[in-house]
Amino acid sequence: MIAIVDYGSGNISAIATIYKQLKVPFTVTGDPKQLAAADRYILPGVGAFDTVMADLAKGGIIEVLNEQVMGNGKKAMGICVGMQILASSSDEGERNGLGWIPGRIRRIDASTIKMAPKLPHMGWNSISTRGEVPLLRDVDCERGFYFLHSYYFDADNDEDVIATVRYGNDTACAVARGNVFGLQFHPEKSHSNGVAVFRNFAEA
């Protein structure tokens, strides 16, 4: 059972629709008991780093996720801001992130971008993977994914970066460490490529 974590942020209905089509069991919940019973987790995210972390802190969600993901090794995948909160900290806010993948969220350097409007990075972009990435199996990397963001994941360990996107500079657009995965793009808005990602996560 996949738990789409409901903390008041993210494109939850779009993710739920995809899993309905794939006939993959899922639940949408922010209840700690239901979260503890799930096999894996999706952290959606639309909004600001501090706001998302504050919402997650309500009702004991952080504690149960830390126990199940870090303690029990259950798989988790963060999307957009849900990816960014996997880091230790962010230029966007003052709160600490979950710290599951060490690094800091940094603002994209607009001076490196030629086209206007420079930020946010919005629209479809191709990506480049680093080696074989099971989470991105059956994905057309040239077609890529839909992006909407102004910040990127600056990982402490370069080995945690599994895919990059070129927007001004090459920056991480997918990270992974053990049982934790993060995607800066929006697979729920990326048609067949996105469906492949959600299927791969369910089967990982």
Side-chain angles (χ1 to χ4, degrees):
M1 175 70 73
I2 295 175
I4 304 171
V5 184
D6 185 2
Y7 47 93
S9 180
N11 297 316
I12 289 176
S13 61
I15 299 171
T17 296
I18 291 171
Y19 276 130
K20 284 179 184 177
Q21 294 171 346
L22 291 173
K23 295 181 170 56
V24 172
F26 73 93
T27 185
V28 177
T29 184
D31 179 80
K33 290 184 179 179
Q34 293 182 18
L35 289 171
D39 299 314
R40 57 197 69 196
Y41 306 94
I42 291 179
L43 297 167
V46 175
F49 186 94
D50 276 4
T51 301
V52 171
M53 285 305 302
D55 290 339
L56 264 182
K58 298 174 183 176
I61 295 178
I62 290 179
E63 288 81 359
V64 71
L65 289 177
N66 277 330
E67 179 182 3
Q68 297 302 320
V69 176
M70 291 291 97
N72 295 336
K74 294 181 181 179
K75 292 181 171 62
M77 180 171 72
I79 297 171
C80 198
V81 177
M83 169 196 182
Q84 294 177 4
I85 62 173
L86 303 178
S88 307
S89 59
S90 174
D91 288 351
E92 188 182 18
E94 301 296 329
R95 287 179 173 266
N96 290 329
L98 294 171
W100 294 350
I101 300 180
R104 183 170 177 84
I105 304 306
R106 302 191 186 279
R107 188 171 176 83
I108 296 171
D109 182 359
S111 69
T112 66
I113 304 165
K114 296 180 180 179
M115 68 287 292
K118 295 184 175 184
L119 292 176
H121 173 203
M122 180 170 63
W124 284 78
N125 225 131
S126 60
I127 68 169
S128 299
T129 59
R130 295 185 173 180
E132 184 177 348
V133 181
L135 186 64
L136 300 177
R137 186 178 68 249
D138 299 326
V139 162
D140 181 348
C141 292
E142 184 61 32
R143 183 185 185 194
F145 293 91
Y146 181 82
F147 287 80
L148 180 58
H149 66 116
S150 297
Y151 293 83
Y152 70 95
F153 199 117
D154 183 14
D156 287 355
N157 188 339
D158 193 56
E159 293 183 359
D160 292 337
V161 178
I162 58 174
T164 60
V165 62
R166 185 158 188 83
Y167 188 68
N169 293 320
D170 288 326
T171 59
C173 67
V175 294
R177 171 173 283 214
N179 56 318
V180 178
F181 309 89
L183 307 173
Q184 184 57 69
F185 48 80
H186 285 276
E188 76 279 9
K189 295 183 178 181
S190 300
H191 308 312
S192 59
N193 272 354
V195 172
V197 168
F198 285 117
R199 181 190 297 112
N200 292 338
F201 179 69
E203 296 174 351

